[in-house]
Amino acid sequence: MTHNARERFRANPKLKLRDEDADDTAFSTRAANPKLGKSRAKALDQERTAALIDRISALQDKLYAQRKQKVLLVLQATDTGGKDGTVRALFKGINPMGLRAVSFKGPTDNELAHDYLWRVHQHVPVLGEIAIFNRSHYEDVLITKVQGWIDDAECKRRYAQIRDFERMLAETGTVIIKVFLHISKEEQRERLQERLDDPDKQWKFNPEDIKQREKWDDYQRAYEKAIRETDAPHAPWYVVPANSKTHRNLVIASLLLETLESMDLHYPPPHPDLSSFTVE
């Protein structure tokens, strides 16, 4: 039972990203049983997530065998939002056959010489595959707009192009799930400070993150606009409270499982004359 995560976390048409909403743990065991100890509730939520992953794995096996549909999971977030952690937590137990994670960094000179969707289109899932985008084509209406590299008119054109791109993917068999991992500004401060303080995490720290943090409000408004402009029944956005990593994983596992369960996945029929074969 996944409590209908797709309904609970679907982006509101009038979305406003508020810091207090990033702490929402509505799906947690403790929300249902407030008297439960924090550590015990966390352990139970981790067990629930593991059980969901087992079910996802079984359905992914059918998706791969059937080779008729494909799934694209888009993960977007501010710096330290938990994209890498989500991929590690939810997909380490999934058969790597039929699973692919793509991390989009700054574009190369060759990529810049093409249209901005060119590099993205090369990585969309093939039949039978789940592809996870760690960042995505949405960077081209987020960082580009906040940094002033494109104006309002170009941003509006890109929203339309992204809507067309995603509709084309959906019409050719791709089931799209877009997730914004919503953390608060204070949570980001704590995570950045943790990177500075922990020698094993200092390699993750980028001074540019501090500079970009100064534009926190601009990025929040850019995310709100991008989500509102590109949410669609065939390419829905989900806003997942992500201050709690345990709750974040539980919700995203629920979203993915519900989506796979809605796809009528099954193993293809065996050879019609299977009984005539013998292995000697």
Side-chain angles (χ1 to χ4, degrees):
M1 183 176 180
T2 57
H3 305 291
N4 202 352
R6 291 188 298 175
E7 179 179 337
R8 172 66 179 78
F9 296 100
R10 180 69 183 271
N12 189 304
K14 298 180 179 180
L15 174 67
K16 291 292 183 182
L17 295 172
R18 306 181 305 170
D19 275 8
E20 55 265 35
D21 293 335
D23 280 317
D24 181 14
T25 55
F27 266 29
S28 68
T29 303
R30 202 167 188 222
N33 187 358
K35 295 182 179 180
L36 202 61
K38 195 171 183 179
S39 61
R40 177 57 180 158
K42 180 177 180 179
L44 289 173
D45 284 343
Q46 290 171 337
E47 291 176 9
R48 291 169 60 197
T49 301
L52 295 178
I53 293 171
D54 285 344
R55 293 164 63 186
I56 290 169
S57 180
L59 288 169
Q60 184 257 351
D61 195 53
K62 293 179 181 179
L63 174 72
Y64 180 71
Q66 195 174 33
R67 306 278 179 111
K68 289 185 177 180
Q69 299 180 83
K70 40 203 171 176
V71 176
L72 174 60
L73 173 61
V74 173
L75 298 177
Q76 285 287 158
T78 57
D79 296 324
T80 77
K83 300 178 297 297
D84 292 347
T86 298
V87 174
R88 285 194 302 270
L90 298 188
F91 297 101
K92 61 183 178 182
I94 305 294
N95 188 335
M97 296 295 292
L99 181 69
R100 184 161 49 93
V102 183
S103 181
F104 288 96
K105 306 297 184 183
T108 65
D109 289 342
N110 183 48
E111 290 168 342
L112 286 170
H114 292 81
D115 67 88
Y116 69 95
L117 287 172
W118 177 80
R119 67 171 183 159
V120 178
H121 204 163
Q122 297 179 78
H123 296 290
V124 298
V126 300
L127 289 172
E129 187 176 57
I130 297 176
I132 307 115
F133 281 4
N134 183 336
R135 297 187 186 273
S136 68
H137 43 297
Y138 283 94
E139 295 300 301
D140 290 290
V141 288
L142 292 167
I143 188 170
T144 53
K145 183 64 174 69
V146 172
Q147 297 299 325
W149 299 336
I150 62 173
D151 60 17
D152 288 342
E154 175 60 18
C155 193
K156 185 177 181 179
R157 280 191 292 271
R158 291 190 180 191
Y159 290 144
Q161 290 158 358
I162 287 172
R163 289 193 295 267
D164 289 341
F165 175 61
E166 292 178 344
R167 186 179 67 253
M168 181 271 295
L169 292 180
E171 289 175 350
T172 53
T174 303
V175 176
I176 303 170
I177 313 165
K178 300 182 294 189
V179 175
F180 176 65
L181 304 176
H182 180 31
I183 64 169
S184 65
K185 189 174 184 180
E186 174 60 19
E187 180 68 19
Q188 187 194 58
R189 186 197 67 77
E190 292 178 5
R191 293 184 185 184
L192 286 172
Q193 189 63 50
E194 183 181 6
R195 290 181 180 181
L196 281 170
D197 296 341
D198 186 345
D200 292 336
K201 294 184 178 181
Q202 287 173 353
W203 66 272
K204 292 183 176 182
F205 182 77
N206 184 346
E208 182 66 19
D209 293 342
I210 300 295
K211 185 177 180 181
Q212 293 303 317
R213 180 171 161 79
E214 296 173 1
K215 300 180 179 181
W216 175 270
D217 290 340
D218 293 334
Y219 274 107
Q220 298 300 293
R221 302 297 81 77
Y223 271 110
E224 289 172 353
K225 182 70 171 175
I227 291 169
R228 289 196 300 262
E229 289 287 338
T230 61
D231 180 72
H234 60 270
W237 271 107
Y238 301 99
V239 178
V240 174
N243 277 2
S244 165
K245 298 174 184 178
T246 302
H247 186 259
R248 171 201 74 196
N249 295 340
L250 178 61
V251 172
I252 297 175
S254 299
L255 288 170
L256 182 55
L257 178 60
E258 288 176 15
T259 300
L260 291 170
E261 287 179 333
S262 72
M263 292 172 62
D264 189 28
L265 299 172
H266 52 81
Y267 291 114
H271 190 282
D273 197 22
L274 202 64
S275 61
S276 66
F277 295 93
T278 302
V279 180
E280 297 181 353

